[in-house]
Amino acid sequence: MKLFKRENLSDLLSVVGLAVIDVTAFLFQPLIGGLVTGLSLILLSYFLGKE
């Protein structure tokens, strides 16, 4: 008894791929946000310190 036909398997793979991309994006969002915030803070303090 075969559970997966070839078409079902490719559908499953695409669903899993999308889920993995979603999870990675969700996990990396705070990291990227933190980097952007850190960079803007560094730039701000640099420009304020220049004057």
Side-chain angles (χ1 to χ4, degrees):
M1 195 172 129
K2 269 189 178 173
L3 283 176
F4 294 114
K5 292 190 207 114
R6 194 169 283 271
E7 300 88 38
N8 290 359
L9 192 60
S10 61
D11 282 351
L12 187 71
L13 281 177
S14 58
V15 167
V16 167
L18 282 174
V20 166
I21 290 170
D22 277 352
V23 168
T24 339
F26 180 72
L27 287 177
F28 277 110
Q29 226 170 355
L31 189 68
I32 293 167
L35 279 176
V36 169
T37 309
L39 279 176
S40 50
L41 280 176
I42 289 168
L43 283 174
L44 192 66
S45 58
Y46 174 72
F47 282 124
L48 286 176
K50 249 176 121 174
E51 290 180 5

